[in-house]
Amino acid sequence: RSRDALETLTRIRATMERDYALSRARSTFDTMMSRALTNLGRGEEAVRFAADAVETSRFFDGPHAVETLDAMFVRGQTLAKIGRVEEAQETLRHVLAARTRILGPAHVHTRRTQDALRRIDAL
């Protein structure tokens, strides 16, 4: 069942790539795919989707947009889950610095990033 669902989602993503109006939504879609693939134990694929989400969001929203930082956060978490700890730390430190600057230190997303970094640093 999950294989059929992933095949369907892959076809949907291909459609999004061909249709510029849908391309803007691709970052959100890729983020969701990354999370789903991580949960299925397909970490390397998940990292690729997370990286695509970051690049798409950077293109449409800019490097410091909330959406871009959200995609980077997911990428960092995914990297940590597959054991690429140093890359995860680097990514999440960047997200933390940007979120602190843009959202403030007390914002829930900033605190969530701090918590994620603490957990990774403890590995």
Side-chain angles (χ1 to χ4, degrees):
R1 244 190 198 295
S2 63
R3 181 179 304 280
D4 291 340
L6 284 174
E7 288 175 11
T8 299
L9 292 171
T10 301
R11 286 194 299 274
I12 291 169
R13 186 177 188 276
T15 300
M16 293 175 106
E17 288 178 1
R18 291 189 301 271
D19 186 334
Y20 183 80
L22 294 174
S23 292
R24 190 157 177 57
R26 202 173 81 213
S27 177
T28 301
F29 181 86
D30 286 348
T31 297
M32 291 186 311
M33 284 291 289
S34 176
R35 287 180 171 150
L37 289 165
T38 299
N39 291 335
L40 292 171
R42 296 168 63 174
E44 290 301 328
E45 288 176 85
V47 170
R48 285 192 296 276
F49 272 97
D52 286 349
V54 171
E55 291 309 311
T56 300
S57 189
R58 275 188 182 143
F59 178 79
F60 285 105
D61 303 312
H64 303 294
V66 171
E67 295 81 2
T68 304
L69 297 174
D70 290 346
M72 291 178 74
F73 179 80
V74 170
R75 182 176 182 271
Q77 287 186 309
T78 304
L79 288 165
K81 287 179 183 177
I82 65 168
R84 291 167 56 180
V85 175
E86 288 180 17
E87 288 176 81
Q89 290 170 319
E90 180 181 334
T91 300
L92 291 176
R93 283 189 184 109
H94 175 80
V95 172
L96 179 60
R99 283 181 167 173
T100 301
R101 187 176 66 256
I102 296 164
L103 302 173
H107 192 278
V108 65
H109 289 177
T110 305
R111 290 194 322 262
R112 188 172 68 171
T113 307
Q114 289 170 327
D115 292 343
L117 258 173
R118 279 189 207 110
R119 285 190 302 274
I120 293 168
D121 288 342
L123 295 177

